[in-house]
Amino acid sequence: FLTYPTLVHSGGEADATAGYLAVERGEDTLAVKLCTRAIMSGELSAESLVETYNNRGRGYDGLGQYDKAIADYNKVTELDPTYIFAYNNRGNVFWILGQFDRAMADFNRAIQLNSHYESPYNGRGNVYLFQGEFSRALGEYNRAIQLNPHYASPYNGRGNVYLFQGEFSR
């Protein structure tokens, strides 16, 4: 049923769940459609509304519609100022846009809310990497790896630092 959510419409919560599954599969257009329908239904709990705006933002992000993604992440932080994933996701969009100060502010806020969440450390590493602050980038990537050794992105970032430093064997 959730694999084919457009065949049967059964309400906001079902659309929200199907939208989450679609964004996880990288089906961003479908995710945006389902999340929008869920939001417009008026049937979502406060918690589901926050998650659904965040998931729609992820869909817009995947489609390269960064202004819409930022707007959804802004809505999430308005509805729940403690929802760390929106800060991290918005930070990633700001990083993509080259707005490093804004990205860093969001990554810092996510870490302030939960210092054991690895992704914003990776985000800060990416900012430092692009600013040429390699030792700081390494520290951030290492912290992300320490928190979650199975998280691949900081290994890639760390490899890029070594590449830029000419440490090819590392």
Side-chain angles (χ1 to χ4, degrees):
F1 169 74
L2 292 177
T3 305
Y4 302 99
T6 57
L7 297 179
V8 178
H9 177 67
S10 64
E13 292 291 344
D15 285 339
T17 300
Y20 164 75
L21 294 172
V23 81
E24 286 293 306
R25 290 189 307 265
E27 297 174 3
D28 297 315
T29 300
L30 178 59
V32 167
K33 176 183 175 183
L34 290 165
C35 289
T36 299
R37 194 163 70 187
I39 291 165
M40 299 303 292
S41 76
E43 300 171 2
L44 300 181
S45 68
E47 180 180 344
S48 289
L49 187 62
V50 165
E51 292 171 354
T52 303
Y53 271 111
N54 186 66
N55 288 329
R56 188 173 73 174
R58 292 174 60 206
Y60 283 135
D61 184 359
L63 294 170
Q65 297 178 16
Y66 300 124
D67 289 343
K68 290 180 179 180
I70 290 169
D72 275 355
Y73 298 140
N74 289 344
K75 183 67 174 178
V76 172
T77 61
E78 174 188 316
L79 293 171
D80 182 357
T82 66
Y83 195 80
I84 61 172
F85 304 110
Y87 292 103
N88 186 70
N89 294 340
R90 189 173 64 189
N92 284 326
V93 171
F94 286 141
W95 171 71
I96 289 167
L97 296 173
Q99 298 177 22
F100 297 137
D101 290 342
R102 295 177 84 183
M104 194 62 80
D106 275 344
F107 294 137
N108 289 340
R109 179 67 177 139
I111 290 168
Q112 180 184 27
L113 290 168
N114 181 351
S115 63
H116 299 290
Y117 178 42
E118 69 277 358
S119 191
Y121 293 100
N122 184 69
R124 289 194 325 190
N126 290 338
V127 170
Y128 289 136
L129 176 66
F130 275 78
Q131 292 176 329
E133 297 184 45
F134 299 131
S135 64
R136 292 180 88 176
L138 276 176
E140 298 297 333
Y141 293 136
N142 288 336
R143 178 69 174 138
I145 291 166
Q146 178 186 20
L147 289 169
N148 182 355
H150 303 289
Y151 182 34
S153 292
Y155 289 101
N156 184 65
R158 194 167 67 178
N160 284 325
V161 170
Y162 296 144
L163 177 67
F164 290 132
Q165 291 179 325
E167 298 181 41
F168 303 117
S169 64
R170 294 187 83 183

